[in-house]
Amino acid sequence: MGQVVRIAIQKSGRLSEKSLEIIKNCGIKFGSDSRVLKEEASNFPLEFLYVRDDDIPSYVRDGVADIGIVGRNEFDEQAIDLEVIRDLGFAKCRLSIAVPNDFSYQGLASLEGKRIATSYPHILEGILSEKGIKATFVQVSGSVEVTPAIGLADVICDLVSTGATLAMNGLREVEKIYTSTAVMIGRKKMGNDEKAAILSRLLLRIDAVMRAASYKYVIFNLPEEHLDQVAGIVGGMKSPTVTRLMEKGWLSVQTVVAEDLFWDVFEQLKALGAQGILVTPIEKMTE
């Protein structure tokens, strides 16, 4: 039996769902029974461990898993000497300072000497120490929002999504201090050439899936006299693919456009007479 790479993934939740989705999009087949804590892919040398997210960095450090997918916030807070192999870009969240509604906040300096409740004291201390600010950290693992109301803390530092929970507890978000996304982590040396080769194959697939998600495939008809202008707008992997239509003076143009530029490009194409603009997602893509 050959080597397999063992990956630790959160056993449930949004991070787990997105992690498994990107692996499925790599063409890797595995079961979907949430009660299973360990399983192997059927068509790729990859074994899954489904565990608590805060255990993932230590599992990788100790060699229980070869790699793991975890929120950067969890990775940075534990400060374990591992490598970020890829920033996967999903599961975005922010770590913010929130204060009671009657607290006069004038920037991070307002935290000097205050008691701050947080689940991320290591990250917070690093940020405040860079500014020369000293505070007392009250470490809590859950329900951070309630601590000012019961007198445990003056302000809080917590992950925020909509801010609704803060408002329910008489707090308001005043400053974002840190952002997090999902990252793939591993030891700085895999220590096994066969496993390193498997990881390279996996990363090749993941990179293709991630790149594809950032682009759209666009096809449209265009008056021939505007081709040079359009080529300067859309570019493409190398240059647009152009085909003549039966109707004289018209071309069909195919190209790839970055997702974040698409609507600007769309408006410019319309202004140059483009018609029948068809936009489709891309499954996989390499340079």
Side-chain angles (χ1 to χ4, degrees), residues 13-269:
R14 187 168 63 99
L15 180 61
S16 173
E17 292 169 4
K18 290 290 187 180
S19 300
L20 296 176
E21 180 183 342
I22 196 171
I23 293 173
K24 284 179 180 176
N25 288 339
C26 290
I28 296 172
K29 297 179 181 179
F30 53 94
S32 56
D33 188 337
S34 61
R35 295 168 297 180
V36 173
L37 299 179
K38 176 183 171 184
E39 66 173 327
E40 284 194 29
S42 61
N43 63 342
F44 192 87
L46 191 66
E47 184 176 70
F48 299 84
L49 287 182
Y50 300 113
V51 298
R52 284 168 36 117
D53 62 335
D54 52 357
D55 287 335
I56 292 175
S58 60
Y59 276 28
V60 175
R61 176 197 61 200
D62 297 341
V64 176
D66 298 303
I67 56 176
I69 297 178
V70 69
R72 184 180 284 272
N73 56 299
E74 194 65 53
F75 173 67
D76 285 347
E77 179 60 28
Q78 295 191 26
I80 293 175
D81 188 24
L82 298 170
E83 178 183 9
V84 173
I85 299 171
R86 287 291 184 280
D87 186 331
L88 300 172
F90 57 81
K92 292 180 181 178
C93 59
R94 64 187 186 272
L95 189 62
S96 293
I97 302 296
V99 302
N101 289 325
D102 60 357
F103 187 100
S104 177
Y105 185 79
Q106 306 295 325
L108 289 177
S110 298
L111 304 179
E112 179 71 36
K114 296 294 188 289
R115 297 169 300 157
I116 309 173
T118 185
S119 301
Y120 301 95
H122 183 268
I123 293 174
L124 179 58
E125 183 177 20
I127 292 169
L128 294 185
S129 65
E130 287 181 1
K131 307 282 187 182
I133 297 167
K134 293 182 179 179
T136 301
F137 304 111
V138 180
Q139 185 168 0
V140 288
S141 57
S143 302
V144 179
E145 298 89 354
V146 75
T147 54
I150 62 176
L152 279 179
D154 302 306
V155 302
I156 73 168
C157 178
D158 199 19
L159 293 178
V160 177
S161 52
T162 65
T165 306
L166 295 176
M168 289 171 59
N169 287 277
L171 303 172
R172 71 185 195 279
E173 181 182 6
V174 290
E175 187 163 348
K176 177 179 74 175
I177 63 168
Y178 171 93
T179 57
S180 173
T181 54
V183 293
M184 178 184 287
I185 59 174
R187 294 183 297 282
K188 293 185 175 178
K189 287 188 177 180
M190 181 65 75
N192 180 301
D193 289 344
E194 190 174 346
K195 286 191 176 188
I198 294 168
L199 178 59
S200 293
R201 290 172 57 201
L202 177 62
L203 293 175
L204 180 66
R205 297 189 186 196
I206 287 176
D207 289 344
V209 169
M210 289 174 57
R211 185 169 175 79
S214 301
Y215 288 85
K216 298 293 185 184
Y217 190 67
V218 183
I219 306 172
F220 54 91
N221 298 330
L222 182 76
E224 187 171 0
E225 65 265 25
H226 294 152
L227 179 60
D228 288 343
Q229 289 171 276
V230 166
I233 293 168
V234 299
M237 297 294 287
K238 289 190 180 295
S239 63
T241 300
V242 179
T243 308
R244 292 197 174 277
L245 299 180
M246 287 186 67
E247 185 174 345
K248 189 175 181 180
W250 281 84
L251 305 170
S252 174
V253 180
Q254 303 171 48
T255 190
V256 172
V257 177
E259 173 88 51
D260 55 356
L261 299 176
F262 171 74
W263 287 110
D264 287 339
V265 170
F266 176 83
E267 292 170 4
Q268 293 178 72
L269 292 179

